């Protein structure tokens, strides 16, 4: 459920994040990530994120690159 992502809040300058192939990354994890507005680049390929999780990412104002290959949309 991506609970470990909460620890990343301490990294205020984190702009690029790769979560490829992580089975614990799902829509709930995307709700955590939307509180990290500094993200510019995100790779969630081969995770459990669905269309609902992708929609949540639209709230990231600086996200310009999203790699979302092989998702179950």
């Amino acid at each position: 459920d991506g609970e470990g992502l909460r620890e990343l809040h301490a990294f205020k300058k984190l702009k690029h994040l790769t979560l490829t192939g992580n089975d614990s990354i799902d829509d709930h994890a995307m709700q955590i990530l939307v509180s990290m507005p500094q993200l510019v680049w995100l790779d969630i390929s081969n995770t459990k994120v669905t269309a609902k999780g992708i929609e949540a990412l639209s709230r990231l104002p600086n996200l310009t690159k999203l790699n979302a290959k092989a998702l179950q949309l």
Side-chain angles (χ1 to χ4, degrees):
D1 62 6
E3 286 300 321
L5 293 177
R6 292 190 191 281
E7 302 296 324
L8 295 177
H9 286 285
F11 300 98
K12 299 297 183 192
K13 294 185 180 184
L14 180 67
K15 293 185 179 186
H16 299 162
L17 184 59
T18 300
L19 301 169
T20 304
N22 188 329
D23 286 341
S24 68
I25 301 302
D26 57 11
D27 293 342
H28 177 72
M30 298 302 98
Q31 295 299 325
I32 295 168
L33 288 181
V34 298
S35 65
M36 300 174 70
Q38 75 277 14
L39 282 179
V40 173
W41 189 92
L42 179 61
D43 188 343
I44 54 170
S45 299
N46 296 302
T47 62
K48 294 182 178 179
V49 176
T50 69
K52 181 180 176 183
I54 296 289
E55 183 178 334
L57 294 177
S58 68
R59 298 193 314 255
L60 286 172
N62 296 308
L63 190 66
T64 58
K65 171 83 173 161
L66 176 63
N67 190 350
K69 296 178 185 173
L71 297 182
Q72 299 297 316
L73 303 176

Coordinates of all heavy atoms in Angstrom, one line a residue:
D1 N 0.8 -1.2 0.0 CA 0.0 0.0 0.0 C 0.8 1.3 0.0 O 0.3 2.3 0.2 CB -1.0 0.0 1.1 CG -0.3 -0.1 2.5 OD1 0.9 0.0 2.6 OD2 -1.0 -0.2 3.5
G2 N 2.1 1.1 -0.2 CA 3.0 2.3 -0.3 C 3.3 3.1 0.9 O 3.8 4.2 0.9
E3 N 3.0 2.5 2.1 CA 3.2 3.3 3.4 C 4.6 3.7 3.5 O 4.8 4.8 4.1 CB 2.7 2.4 4.6 CG 1.2 2.3 4.7 CD 0.5 3.6 4.9 OE1 1.0 4.6 5.5 OE2 -0.5 3.8 4.3
G4 N 5.6 3.0 3.0 CA 7.0 3.4 3.1 C 7.3 4.8 2.4 O 8.2 5.4 2.7
L5 N 6.4 5.2 1.5 CA 6.6 6.4 0.8 C 6.5 7.6 1.7 O 7.0 8.7 1.4 CB 5.6 6.5 -0.3 CG 5.7 5.6 -1.5 CD1 4.6 5.8 -2.5 CD2 7.0 5.7 -2.2
R6 N 5.8 7.5 2.8 CA 5.6 8.6 3.8 C 7.0 9.1 4.2 O 7.2 10.3 4.5 CB 4.8 8.2 5.0 CG 3.3 8.0 4.6 CD 2.4 7.8 5.8 NE 1.1 7.3 5.4 CZ 0.2 8.1 4.9 NH1 0.4 9.4 4.7 NH2 -1.0 7.6 4.7
E7 N 8.0 8.2 4.3 CA 9.3 8.6 4.7 C 10.0 9.5 3.8 O 10.9 10.3 4.1 CB 10.2 7.3 4.9 CG 9.6 6.3 5.9 CD 9.5 6.8 7.3 OE1 10.4 7.6 7.7 OE2 8.6 6.5 8.0
L8 N 9.5 9.6 2.5 CA 10.2 10.4 1.5 C 9.8 11.9 1.7 O 10.5 12.7 1.1 CB 9.7 10.0 0.1 CG 10.2 8.6 -0.3 CD1 9.6 8.2 -1.7 CD2 11.7 8.5 -0.3
H9 N 8.9 12.2 2.5 CA 8.5 13.6 2.7 C 9.7 14.4 3.3 O 9.7 15.6 3.1 CB 7.3 13.7 3.7 CG 6.0 13.3 3.1 ND1 5.4 14.2 2.2 CD2 5.3 12.2 3.2 CE1 4.3 13.6 1.8 NE2 4.2 12.4 2.4
A10 N 10.6 13.8 3.9 CA 11.8 14.5 4.4 C 12.7 15.0 3.3 O 13.5 15.9 3.6 CB 12.6 13.5 5.4
F11 N 12.6 14.4 2.1 CA 13.4 14.8 1.0 C 12.7 15.9 0.2 O 12.1 15.6 -0.8 CB 13.8 13.6 0.2 CG 14.5 12.6 1.0 CD1 13.9 11.5 1.5 CD2 15.9 12.7 1.2 CE1 14.5 10.5 2.2 CE2 16.6 11.7 1.9 CZ 15.9 10.6 2.5
K12 N 12.7 17.1 0.6 CA 12.0 18.2 0.0 C 12.5 18.5 -1.4 O 11.8 19.2 -2.1 CB 12.1 19.5 0.9 CG 11.5 19.3 2.3 CD 10.0 19.0 2.2 CE 9.4 18.9 3.6 NZ 8.1 18.4 3.6
K13 N 13.7 18.1 -1.8 CA 14.2 18.4 -3.1 C 14.1 17.2 -4.0 O 14.6 17.3 -5.2 CB 15.7 18.9 -3.0 CG 15.8 20.2 -2.3 CD 17.2 20.7 -2.3 CE 17.3 22.0 -1.6 NZ 18.6 22.6 -1.6
L14 N 13.5 16.2 -3.6 CA 13.3 15.0 -4.4 C 12.4 15.3 -5.6 O 11.2 15.7 -5.5 CB 12.6 13.8 -3.6 CG 12.4 12.5 -4.4 CD1 13.7 11.9 -4.7 CD2 11.5 11.6 -3.5
K15 N 12.9 15.2 -6.8 CA 12.2 15.5 -8.0 C 12.0 14.3 -8.9 O 11.0 14.3 -9.7 CB 13.0 16.6 -8.8 CG 13.0 17.9 -8.1 CD 13.6 19.0 -8.9 CE 13.6 20.3 -8.1 NZ 14.0 21.4 -8.9
H16 N 12.8 13.3 -8.8 CA 12.7 12.1 -9.7 C 12.5 10.9 -8.8 O 13.3 10.7 -7.8 CB 14.0 11.9 -10.5 CG 14.2 13.0 -11.5 ND1 15.5 13.2 -12.0 CD2 13.4 14.0 -11.9 CE1 15.4 14.3 -12.8 NE2 14.2 14.8 -12.8
L17 N 11.5 10.1 -9.1 CA 11.3 8.9 -8.3 C 10.9 7.7 -9.2 O 10.0 7.8 -10.1 CB 10.1 9.2 -7.3 CG 9.7 8.1 -6.3 CD1 10.9 7.7 -5.4 CD2 8.5 8.5 -5.5
T18 N 11.6 6.6 -9.0 CA 11.3 5.4 -9.7 C 10.8 4.3 -8.8 O 11.5 4.0 -7.8 CB 12.6 4.9 -10.4 OG1 13.1 5.9 -11.3 CG2 12.4 3.6 -11.2
L19 N 9.6 3.8 -9.1 CA 9.0 2.8 -8.3 C 8.7 1.5 -9.1 O 7.9 0.7 -8.7 CB 7.7 3.3 -7.6 CG 7.9 4.6 -6.8 CD1 6.5 5.2 -6.4 CD2 8.6 4.2 -5.5
T20 N 9.4 1.4 -10.2 CA 9.1 0.3 -11.2 C 9.1 -1.1 -10.5 O 10.1 -1.4 -9.7 CB 10.2 0.3 -12.2 OG1 10.2 1.6 -12.8 CG2 10.0 -0.7 -13.3
G21 N 8.1 -1.9 -10.8 CA 8.1 -3.3 -10.4 C 7.8 -3.5 -8.9 O 7.9 -4.6 -8.4
N22 N 7.5 -2.5 -8.2 CA 7.2 -2.6 -6.7 C 5.8 -3.0 -6.5 O 4.9 -2.2 -6.8 CB 7.6 -1.3 -6.1 CG 7.5 -1.4 -4.6 OD1 6.8 -2.1 -4.0 ND2 8.3 -0.6 -3.9
D23 N 5.5 -4.2 -6.1 CA 4.2 -4.7 -5.9 C 3.4 -4.0 -4.8 O 2.2 -4.2 -4.7 CB 4.2 -6.2 -5.6 CG 4.5 -7.1 -6.8 OD1 4.4 -6.6 -7.9 OD2 5.0 -8.2 -6.6
S24 N 4.0 -3.3 -3.9 CA 3.3 -2.6 -2.9 C 2.8 -1.2 -3.3 O 2.1 -0.5 -2.6 CB 4.2 -2.4 -1.6 OG 5.3 -1.6 -1.8
I25 N 3.2 -0.8 -4.5 CA 2.7 0.5 -5.1 C 1.4 0.3 -5.7 O 1.2 -0.4 -6.7 CB 3.8 1.1 -6.0 CG1 5.1 1.2 -5.3 CG2 3.3 2.4 -6.6 CD1 5.1 2.1 -4.1
D26 N 0.4 1.0 -5.2 CA -1.0 0.9 -5.7 C -1.7 2.3 -5.6 O -1.0 3.3 -5.5 CB -1.8 -0.1 -4.8 CG -1.8 0.3 -3.3 OD1 -1.4 1.4 -3.0 OD2 -2.3 -0.6 -2.5
D27 N -2.9 2.4 -5.8 CA -3.6 3.7 -5.8 C -3.5 4.4 -4.5 O -3.4 5.7 -4.5 CB -5.1 3.5 -6.1 CG -5.4 3.0 -7.5 OD1 -4.4 3.1 -8.3 OD2 -6.5 2.4 -7.8
H28 N -3.5 3.7 -3.4 CA -3.2 4.4 -2.1 C -1.9 5.1 -2.1 O -1.8 6.2 -1.6 CB -3.3 3.3 -0.9 CG -3.0 3.9 0.4 ND1 -3.9 4.8 1.0 CD2 -2.0 3.8 1.2 CE1 -3.4 5.1 2.2 NE2 -2.2 4.6 2.3
A29 N -0.9 4.4 -2.6 CA 0.5 5.0 -2.7 C 0.4 6.3 -3.5 O 1.1 7.3 -3.2 CB 1.4 4.1 -3.3
M30 N -0.4 6.4 -4.5 CA -0.5 7.6 -5.3 C -1.1 8.8 -4.5 O -0.7 9.9 -4.7 CB -1.3 7.4 -6.6 CG -0.8 6.3 -7.6 SD 0.9 6.7 -8.2 CE 1.9 5.7 -7.1
Q31 N -2.0 8.4 -3.6 CA -2.6 9.4 -2.7 C -1.5 10.0 -1.8 O -1.5 11.2 -1.5 CB -3.7 8.8 -1.9 CG -4.9 8.4 -2.6 CD -5.6 9.5 -3.4 OE1 -5.6 10.7 -2.9 NE2 -6.1 9.3 -4.6
I32 N -0.5 9.2 -1.4 CA 0.6 9.7 -0.6 C 1.5 10.6 -1.5 O 1.9 11.7 -1.1 CB 1.4 8.5 -0.1 CG1 0.6 7.7 0.9 CG2 2.7 9.0 0.6 CD1 1.1 6.4 1.3
L33 N 1.8 10.2 -2.7 CA 2.7 11.0 -3.6 C 2.1 12.3 -3.9 O 2.9 13.3 -4.2 CB 2.9 10.2 -4.9 CG 3.9 9.0 -4.7 CD1 4.1 8.3 -6.1 CD2 5.2 9.4 -4.1
V34 N 0.8 12.5 -4.0 CA 0.3 13.8 -4.4 C 0.6 14.9 -3.3 O 0.5 16.1 -3.6 CB -1.2 13.8 -4.7 CG1 -1.6 12.9 -5.8 CG2 -2.0 13.4 -3.4
S35 N 1.1 14.5 -2.2 CA 1.5 15.5 -1.2 C 3.0 15.9 -1.4 O 3.6 16.5 -0.5 CB 1.3 15.0 0.2 OG 2.1 13.8 0.5
M36 N 3.6 15.5 -2.5 CA 4.9 15.8 -2.9 C 5.0 16.6 -4.1 O 5.3 16.2 -5.2 CB 5.7 14.5 -3.0 CG 5.8 13.7 -1.8 SD 6.6 12.1 -2.0 CE 8.3 12.6 -2.2
P37 N 4.5 17.9 -4.1 CA 4.4 18.7 -5.3 C 5.6 19.0 -6.0 O 5.6 19.4 -7.2 CB 3.8 20.0 -4.7 CG 4.2 20.1 -3.3 CD 4.3 18.7 -2.8
Q38 N 6.8 18.7 -5.4 CA 8.1 19.0 -6.1 C 8.4 17.9 -7.2 O 9.3 18.1 -8.0 CB 9.2 19.1 -5.1 CG 9.7 17.8 -4.5 CD 8.9 17.3 -3.3 OE1 7.8 17.8 -3.1 NE2 9.4 16.3 -2.6
L39 N 7.7 16.8 -7.2 CA 8.0 15.7 -8.1 C 7.8 16.2 -9.6 O 6.8 16.8 -9.9 CB 7.1 14.5 -7.9 CG 7.4 13.6 -6.8 CD1 6.4 12.5 -6.7 CD2 8.8 13.0 -6.9
V40 N 8.8 15.9 -10.4 CA 8.8 16.3 -11.8 C 8.7 15.1 -12.7 O 8.1 15.1 -13.7 CB 10.1 17.1 -12.1 CG1 10.2 17.4 -13.6 CG2 10.1 18.4 -11.4
W41 N 9.4 14.0 -12.2 CA 9.5 12.8 -13.0 C 9.1 11.6 -12.1 O 9.6 11.4 -11.0 CB 10.9 12.6 -13.5 CG 11.2 11.6 -14.5 CD1 11.2 11.7 -15.8 CD2 11.6 10.2 -14.2 NE1 11.5 10.5 -16.4 CE2 11.8 9.6 -15.4 CE3 11.8 9.5 -13.0 CZ2 12.2 8.3 -15.5 CZ3 12.2 8.2 -13.1 CH2 12.4 7.6 -14.4
L42 N 8.2 10.7 -12.6 CA 7.8 9.6 -11.8 C 7.6 8.3 -12.7 O 7.0 8.4 -13.8 CB 6.4 9.9 -11.2 CG 5.8 8.8 -10.4 CD1 6.6 8.4 -9.2 CD2 4.4 9.3 -9.9
D43 N 8.2 7.2 -12.3 CA 8.1 5.9 -13.0 C 7.3 4.9 -12.1 O 7.9 4.5 -11.1 CB 9.5 5.4 -13.4 CG 9.4 4.2 -14.3 OD1 8.3 3.6 -14.4 OD2 10.4 3.9 -14.9
I44 N 6.1 4.6 -12.5 CA 5.3 3.6 -11.8 C 5.0 2.4 -12.6 O 4.0 1.7 -12.4 CB 4.0 4.3 -11.3 CG1 3.2 4.9 -12.4 CG2 4.3 5.2 -10.2 CD1 1.9 5.3 -12.0
S45 N 5.9 2.1 -13.6 CA 5.7 0.9 -14.5 C 5.7 -0.4 -13.7 O 6.4 -0.5 -12.7 CB 6.9 0.9 -15.5 OG 6.9 2.0 -16.3
N46 N 4.8 -1.3 -14.1 CA 4.8 -2.6 -13.5 C 4.4 -2.6 -12.0 O 5.0 -3.3 -11.2 CB 6.1 -3.4 -13.8 CG 6.3 -3.7 -15.2 OD1 5.5 -4.3 -15.9 ND2 7.4 -3.2 -15.8
T47 N 3.5 -1.7 -11.7 CA 3.0 -1.6 -10.3 C 1.5 -1.9 -10.3 O 1.0 -2.3 -11.4 CB 3.3 -0.2 -9.7 OG1 2.5 0.7 -10.4 CG2 4.7 0.1 -9.6
K48 N 0.9 -1.8 -9.2 CA -0.6 -2.1 -9.1 C -1.4 -0.9 -9.2 O -2.6 -0.9 -8.8 CB -0.8 -2.8 -7.8 CG -0.2 -4.2 -7.7 CD -0.5 -4.9 -6.4 CE 0.1 -6.3 -6.4 NZ -0.2 -7.0 -5.1
V49 N -0.9 0.2 -9.7 CA -1.7 1.4 -9.9 C -2.7 1.2 -11.0 O -2.4 0.6 -12.0 CB -0.7 2.6 -10.2 CG1 -1.5 3.9 -10.5 CG2 0.3 2.8 -9.1
T50 N -3.9 1.8 -10.8 CA -5.0 1.7 -11.7 C -5.3 3.1 -12.3 O -4.6 4.1 -11.9 CB -6.3 1.1 -11.1 OG1 -6.8 2.1 -10.2 CG2 -6.0 -0.2 -10.4
A51 N -6.3 3.2 -13.1 CA -6.7 4.5 -13.6 C -7.0 5.5 -12.5 O -6.7 6.7 -12.6 CB -7.9 4.3 -14.6
K52 N -7.6 5.0 -11.4 CA -7.9 5.9 -10.3 C -6.6 6.5 -9.7 O -6.6 7.7 -9.4 CB -8.6 5.1 -9.2 CG -9.0 5.9 -8.0 CD -9.7 5.0 -7.0 CE -10.0 5.8 -5.7 NZ -10.7 5.0 -4.7
G53 N -5.6 5.8 -9.6 CA -4.3 6.3 -9.1 C -3.7 7.3 -10.1 O -3.1 8.3 -9.6
I54 N -3.8 7.0 -11.4 CA -3.2 7.9 -12.4 C -4.0 9.3 -12.3 O -3.4 10.3 -12.4 CB -3.4 7.3 -13.8 CG1 -2.5 6.1 -13.9 CG2 -3.0 8.3 -14.9 CD1 -1.1 6.3 -14.0
E55 N -5.3 9.2 -12.1 CA -6.1 10.4 -12.0 C -5.6 11.3 -10.8 O -5.6 12.5 -10.9 CB -7.6 10.0 -11.8 CG -8.5 11.2 -11.8 CD -9.9 10.8 -11.7 OE1 -10.3 9.7 -12.1 OE2 -10.7 11.7 -11.1
A56 N -5.3 10.6 -9.7 CA -4.8 11.4 -8.5 C -3.6 12.2 -8.8 O -3.4 13.3 -8.3 CB -4.6 10.4 -7.4
L57 N -2.7 11.6 -9.7 CA -1.4 12.3 -10.0 C -1.6 13.6 -10.7 O -0.7 14.4 -10.8 CB -0.6 11.3 -10.8 CG -0.1 10.1 -10.1 CD1 0.7 9.2 -11.1 CD2 0.7 10.4 -8.9
S58 N -2.8 13.8 -11.3 CA -3.1 15.1 -11.9 C -3.0 16.3 -11.0 O -2.9 17.4 -11.4 CB -4.5 15.1 -12.6 OG -5.5 15.1 -11.6
R59 N -3.0 16.0 -9.7 CA -2.8 17.1 -8.7 C -1.4 17.4 -8.4 O -1.1 18.3 -7.6 CB -3.5 16.6 -7.4 CG -5.0 16.4 -7.6 CD -5.8 16.3 -6.3 NE -5.3 15.4 -5.3 CZ -5.7 14.2 -5.0 NH1 -6.7 13.7 -5.7 NH2 -5.2 13.5 -4.1
L60 N -0.4 16.8 -9.1 CA 1.0 17.1 -8.9 C 1.3 18.3 -9.9 O 1.4 18.0 -11.1 CB 1.9 15.9 -9.2 CG 1.9 14.9 -8.1 CD1 2.6 13.6 -8.5 CD2 2.5 15.4 -6.8
P61 N 1.5 19.5 -9.5 CA 1.6 20.6 -10.4 C 2.9 20.6 -11.2 O 2.9 21.2 -12.3 CB 1.6 21.8 -9.4 CG 2.1 21.3 -8.1 CD 1.6 19.9 -8.1
N62 N 3.9 20.0 -10.8 CA 5.2 20.0 -11.5 C 5.5 18.7 -12.3 O 6.6 18.7 -12.9 CB 6.4 20.3 -10.5 CG 6.2 21.7 -9.9 OD1 6.0 22.7 -10.7 ND2 6.2 21.8 -8.6
L63 N 4.7 17.7 -12.2 CA 4.9 16.5 -12.9 C 4.8 16.7 -14.4 O 3.8 17.0 -14.9 CB 3.9 15.4 -12.4 CG 4.2 14.0 -12.9 CD1 5.5 13.5 -12.2 CD2 3.1 13.1 -12.5
T64 N 6.0 16.4 -15.1 CA 6.0 16.6 -16.5 C 6.3 15.3 -17.2 O 6.1 15.2 -18.4 CB 7.1 17.6 -16.9 OG1 8.3 17.2 -16.4 CG2 6.7 19.0 -16.4
K65 N 6.8 14.3 -16.5 CA 7.2 13.0 -17.1 C 6.6 11.9 -16.3 O 6.9 11.8 -15.1 CB 8.7 12.9 -17.2 CG 9.2 11.5 -17.7 CD 9.2 11.4 -19.1 CE 9.9 10.0 -19.4 NZ 9.6 9.5 -20.7
L66 N 5.8 11.1 -16.8 CA 5.2 9.9 -16.1 C 5.4 8.7 -17.0 O 4.9 8.6 -18.1 CB 3.7 10.1 -15.9 CG 3.0 9.0 -15.2 CD1 3.5 8.7 -13.8 CD2 1.5 9.3 -15.2
N67 N 6.1 7.7 -16.5 CA 6.2 6.4 -17.1 C 5.3 5.4 -16.4 O 5.5 5.1 -15.2 CB 7.7 5.9 -17.0 CG 7.9 4.7 -17.9 OD1 7.0 4.1 -18.5 ND2 9.2 4.3 -18.1
A68 N 4.3 4.9 -17.1 CA 3.3 4.1 -16.6 C 3.1 2.8 -17.4 O 1.9 2.5 -17.7 CB 2.0 4.9 -16.4
K69 N 4.1 2.2 -17.9 CA 4.0 1.0 -18.7 C 3.5 -0.2 -17.9 O 3.8 -0.3 -16.8 CB 5.4 0.7 -19.4 CG 5.9 1.8 -20.3 CD 7.3 1.4 -20.8 CE 7.9 2.5 -21.6 NZ 9.2 2.2 -22.0
A70 N 2.8 -1.0 -18.6 CA 2.4 -2.3 -18.1 C 1.5 -2.2 -16.8 O 1.7 -3.0 -15.9 CB 3.6 -3.2 -17.9
L71 N 0.7 -1.2 -16.8 CA -0.3 -1.1 -15.7 C -1.6 -1.8 -16.1 O -1.9 -1.9 -17.2 CB -0.6 0.3 -15.3 CG 0.6 1.2 -14.8 CD1 0.1 2.6 -14.5 CD2 1.3 0.5 -13.6
Q72 N -2.4 -2.2 -15.1 CA -3.7 -2.8 -15.3 C -4.7 -1.8 -15.3 O -5.5 -1.6 -14.4 CB -4.0 -3.9 -14.2 CG -3.0 -5.0 -14.2 CD -3.0 -5.8 -15.5 OE1 -4.0 -6.1 -16.0 NE2 -1.8 -6.1 -16.0
L73 N -4.8 -1.0 -16.4 CA -5.7 0.1 -16.5 C -7.0 -0.5 -17.1 O -8.0 0.0 -17.1 CB -5.2 1.2 -17.4 CG -3.9 1.8 -16.9 CD1 -3.4 2.9 -17.9 CD2 -4.1 2.5 -15.5

